[in-house]
């Protein structure tokens, strides 16, 4: 009994330990991206589309193979019916079995089968490009959401630190008011500041929760309440990519990014559609072969014996009839299109319009990529300038706040002016954090266009 209780206690302890470890799990950016790439619904749908295109390729290969079909039937004829074997009308019960095999193969149809196979191969490549694009977009979104959580975490720390400082200031002001050193109005200003700090902490906590919820939903996690990420201190360090010329980044993006590859693949698919449609103008040649045989079962009365009993004629054995009645039919069939209600012509015209649209889409994709790259470069530069300016402003606000603390401590500054200096200092801290993570993400986008993955496996 004691051993059983001990085992149950150990299992319970192990379960609680595993459960606590799962709840305390801190997700890294690499883990978030990997999990999203495996579980995101959009990626799964795109993977299903890729599987569908693979089936299309199998169907295109199958068009080169002959079609083979077998058939068989068995019937009963009762009464006056024609004997299928003899051709005579007879009043009898006849069973009839037939079997056959037929096959068709396309010898030539304007190279449509060959072009459909080439199109199927292109479709597979296009679907792979589309899957890559979806994964890249998800990675960017995850990285952005991850950095947003880090910003909200650090901003919450700043607000909590400021609240702790102001609460100490309130306690000190209460002592000074009690001793008559400062006026009661100064204490009320400090209390108002503490109340405002508590509101900022609550707002920061809400922003942190919403940012965690956004990333958890992006990862398709159900238990979002215990979701948290690892505390990583990313440095806003210079990027070697930003030292490249904008034109060089654009040219590298044209080689690396899948947006242009998708547009080019769609253009090639449209060209194949036109080629396939034009194949309908040409004659088609089809080979065919069929085999058939039949067997009948009937007892026919051919006479009367001396006792008055009917004399029956038995049918030949099954396989003898099957061999005697077998037949083969084979040949080739040529179809020459002459007039088909302009269907072939209209199909060609329709696919030519689609081809022109694909050409336009490719040009637009090039323009969009160029615009996006130049915009990303500009945004990264602006973000860097904003971060540097925020850093300078923070240092200045920090010095001003330290000076204000000294003046306030000796009574040379009232509480209102001190609170204003303190608010500007806290806001400058938050602005440094905001511009820091904004710069990190926007540099990531530029590097992404340059061919550097969002997350590099090392």
């Amino acid at each position: 009994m004691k051993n059983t209780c001990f085992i149950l206690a150990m299992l319970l302890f192990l379960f609680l330990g595993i459960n606590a470890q799962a709840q305390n799990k801190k997700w890294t950016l690499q883990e978030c991206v990997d999990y999203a790439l495996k579980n995101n619904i959009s990626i799964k749908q795109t993977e299903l589309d890729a599987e569908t295109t693979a089936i299309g390729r199998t169907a295109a290969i199958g068009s080169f193979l002959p079609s083979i079909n077998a058939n068989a039937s068995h019937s009963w004829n009762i009464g006056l019916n024609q004997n299928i074997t003899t051709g005579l009308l007879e009043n009898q019960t006849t069973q009839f079995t037939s079997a056959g095999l037929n096959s068709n193969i396309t010898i030539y149809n304007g190279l449509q089968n060959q072009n459909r196979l080439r199109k199927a191969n292109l479709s597979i490549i296009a679907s792979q490009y589309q899957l890559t694009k979806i994964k890249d977009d998800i990675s960017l979104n995850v990285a952005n959401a991850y950095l947003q959580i880090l910003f909200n975490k650090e901003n919450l720390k700043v607000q909590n630190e400021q609240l702790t400082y102001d609460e100490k200031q309130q306690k000190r002001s209460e002592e000074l008011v009690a001793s008559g050193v400062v006026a009661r109005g100064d204490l009320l200003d400090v209390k108002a500041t503490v109340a405002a700090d508590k509101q900022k902490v609550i707002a920061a906590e809400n922003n942190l929760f919403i940012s965690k919820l956004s990333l958890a939903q992006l990862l398709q996690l159900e238990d979002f309440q215990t979701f948290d990420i690892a505390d990583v201190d990313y440095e806003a360090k210079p990027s070697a990519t930003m030292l490249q010329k904008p034109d060089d980044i654009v040219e590298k993006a044209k080689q690396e990014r899948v947006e242009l590859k998708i547009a080019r693949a769609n253009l090639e698919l449209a060209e194949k559609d036109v080629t396939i449609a034009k194949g309908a103008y040409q004659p088609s040649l089809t080979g065919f072969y069929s085999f058939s045989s039949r067997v009948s079962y009937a007892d026919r009365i051919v006479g009367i014996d001396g006792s008055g009993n009917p004399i029956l004629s038995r049918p030949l054995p099954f396989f003898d009839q099957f061999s005697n009645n077998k037949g083969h039919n084979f040949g080739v069939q040529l179809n020459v299109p002459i007039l088909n209600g302009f269907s072939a012509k209209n199909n060609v015209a329709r696919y030519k319009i689609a081809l022109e649209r694909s050409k336009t889409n490719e040009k637009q994709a090039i323009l969009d990529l160029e615009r996006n790259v130049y915009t990303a470069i500009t945004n990264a530069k602006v973000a860097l300038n904003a971060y540097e300016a925020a850093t300078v402003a923070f240092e200045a606000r920090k010095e001003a706040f330290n000076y204000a603390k000294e003046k306030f401590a000796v009574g040379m500054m009232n509480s209102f002016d001190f609170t204003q200096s303190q608010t500007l200092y806290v806001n400058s801290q938050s602005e440094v954090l905001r511009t820091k993570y904004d710069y990190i993400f926007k540099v990531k986008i530029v590097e992404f266009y340059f061919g550097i993955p969002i997350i590099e496996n090392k």
Side-chain angles (χ1 to χ4, degrees):
M1 183 66 181
K2 292 182 179 180
N3 292 335
T4 303
C5 294
F6 176 75
I7 293 174
L8 291 175
M10 290 298 296
L11 291 175
L12 179 62
F13 177 77
L14 180 61
F15 172 76
L16 293 176
I18 294 175
N19 189 35
Q21 184 178 5
Q23 291 181 350
N24 295 329
K25 174 179 174 58
K26 301 286 187 177
W27 291 67
T28 65
L29 180 55
Q30 180 70 60
E31 290 174 338
C32 288
V33 171
D34 291 342
Y35 189 88
L37 295 181
K38 292 179 180 178
N39 298 276
N40 185 267
I41 293 178
S42 298
I43 292 178
K44 290 183 177 180
Q45 291 175 340
T46 307
E47 288 175 344
L48 293 176
D49 293 338
E51 292 180 8
T52 302
T53 57
I55 295 175
R57 182 178 183 274
T58 304
I61 294 175
S63 63
F64 289 94
L65 303 176
S67 63
I68 302 175
N69 298 283
N71 60 82
S73 66
H74 185 83
S75 61
W76 287 263
N77 296 324
I78 302 175
L80 186 62
N81 293 287
Q82 184 181 25
N83 189 311
I84 300 177
T85 303
T86 64
L88 300 177
L89 290 175
E90 299 176 0
N91 192 358
Q92 59 181 346
T93 299
T94 303
Q95 297 185 55
F96 177 74
T97 300
S98 65
L101 183 73
N102 59 78
S103 176
N104 292 278
I105 185 170
T106 300
I107 300 174
Y108 180 80
N109 64 345
L111 301 179
Q112 289 182 331
N113 289 346
Q114 289 83 348
N115 289 320
R116 287 193 182 99
L117 178 58
R118 296 187 184 103
K119 179 187 175 182
N121 291 330
L122 290 174
S123 297
I124 292 177
I125 296 174
S127 64
Q128 291 173 347
Y129 289 153
Q130 191 65 40
L131 179 60
T132 301
K133 184 180 184 302
I134 292 293
K135 289 183 177 181
D136 289 344
D137 292 341
I138 295 298
S139 299
L140 275 176
N141 292 335
V142 170
N144 187 24
Y146 194 93
L147 293 176
Q148 187 65 36
I149 294 176
L150 289 179
F151 161 68
N152 288 327
K153 276 190 169 187
E154 294 198 21
N155 186 52
L156 179 59
K157 290 180 182 178
V158 171
Q159 301 301 332
N160 279 323
E161 289 173 359
Q162 192 58 45
L163 174 61
T164 302
Y165 176 81
D166 287 339
E167 287 177 341
K168 292 180 180 179
Q169 192 66 32
Q170 178 182 346
K171 184 177 180 180
R172 182 172 179 274
S173 297
E174 289 174 350
E175 295 174 352
L176 294 176
V177 169
S179 61
V181 177
V182 297
R184 184 172 180 80
D186 290 343
L187 176 60
L188 296 177
D189 288 337
V190 174
K191 287 184 176 180
T193 301
V194 171
D197 289 342
K198 290 181 179 179
Q199 291 179 343
K200 292 179 181 179
V201 169
I202 293 175
E205 289 175 344
N206 290 336
N207 291 334
L208 177 58
F209 175 77
I210 292 173
S211 60
K212 287 182 179 180
L213 176 61
S214 299
L215 180 55
Q217 289 179 337
L218 189 60
L219 299 180
Q220 308 296 327
L221 294 177
E222 296 181 0
D223 187 15
F224 61 87
Q225 294 181 347
T226 59
F227 173 74
D228 199 3
I229 66 171
D231 295 327
V232 181
D233 185 15
Y234 285 96
E235 297 181 6
K237 54 185 179 182
S239 172
T241 306
M242 294 299 298
L243 301 177
Q244 301 287 333
K245 295 180 180 179
D247 292 341
D248 294 337
I249 298 178
V250 170
E251 291 303 318
K252 187 66 179 296
K254 289 180 179 180
Q255 299 174 7
E256 298 290 337
R257 293 304 306 140
V258 293
E259 288 88 342
L260 292 188
K261 295 179 181 179
I262 292 174
R264 292 175 186 136
N266 290 335
L267 177 58
E268 293 179 358
L269 288 173
E271 291 174 346
K272 288 301 175 186
D273 283 332
V274 173
T275 304
I276 294 171
K278 287 182 177 180
Y281 288 143
Q282 301 184 33
S284 62
L285 185 63
T286 305
F288 60 88
Y289 168 79
S290 65
F291 167 82
S292 63
S293 186
R294 61 186 183 273
V295 178
S296 65
Y297 315 88
D299 291 335
R300 293 191 302 116
I301 300 175
V302 296
I304 302 295
D305 60 10
S307 301
N309 296 321
I311 300 174
L312 301 178
S313 175
R314 301 292 183 181
L316 293 175
F318 178 89
F319 288 105
D320 290 344
Q321 292 190 60
F322 190 86
S323 177
N324 295 337
N325 297 328
K326 65 184 179 182
H328 302 270
N329 181 31
F330 57 91
V332 293
Q333 179 179 348
L334 177 66
N335 292 319
V336 181
I338 298 175
L339 182 63
N340 52 13
F342 302 111
S343 62
K345 181 179 180 181
N346 290 336
N347 282 336
V348 172
R350 189 178 297 111
Y351 285 121
K352 282 184 176 180
I353 293 174
L355 175 60
E356 292 301 320
R357 185 179 291 111
S358 296
K359 291 180 180 179
T360 304
N361 291 339
E362 184 191 24
K363 294 178 182 178
Q364 187 63 49
I366 295 174
L367 294 176
D368 291 343
L369 182 62
E370 291 177 349
R371 183 184 69 252
N372 292 337
V373 173
Y374 282 117
T375 300
I377 295 173
T378 302
N379 290 339
K381 291 181 178 179
V382 171
L384 176 60
N385 293 334
Y387 173 67
E388 292 175 345
T391 303
V392 173
F394 168 72
E395 294 298 331
R397 293 297 180 189
K398 183 178 180 180
E399 293 295 328
F401 179 60
N402 291 332
Y403 182 63
K405 285 195 295 184
E406 295 176 358
K407 292 178 65 177
F408 183 73
V410 297
M412 296 178 62
M413 177 179 288
N414 58 40
S415 60
F416 177 79
D417 292 337
F418 176 73
T419 301
Q420 293 297 314
S421 176
Q422 178 180 328
T423 301
L424 293 174
Y425 168 67
V426 174
N427 290 341
S428 66
Q429 276 186 295
S430 298
E431 185 65 11
V432 168
L433 294 176
R434 187 192 68 80
T435 55
K436 170 187 173 182
Y437 286 106
D438 183 58
Y439 166 70
I440 291 174
F441 179 68
K442 288 178 177 177
V443 168
K444 284 281 187 183
I445 294 178
V446 177
E447 294 176 343
F448 179 67
Y449 281 123
F450 198 66
I452 301 176
I454 294 296
I455 299 296
E456 294 186 88
N457 294 318
K458 296 183 180 179

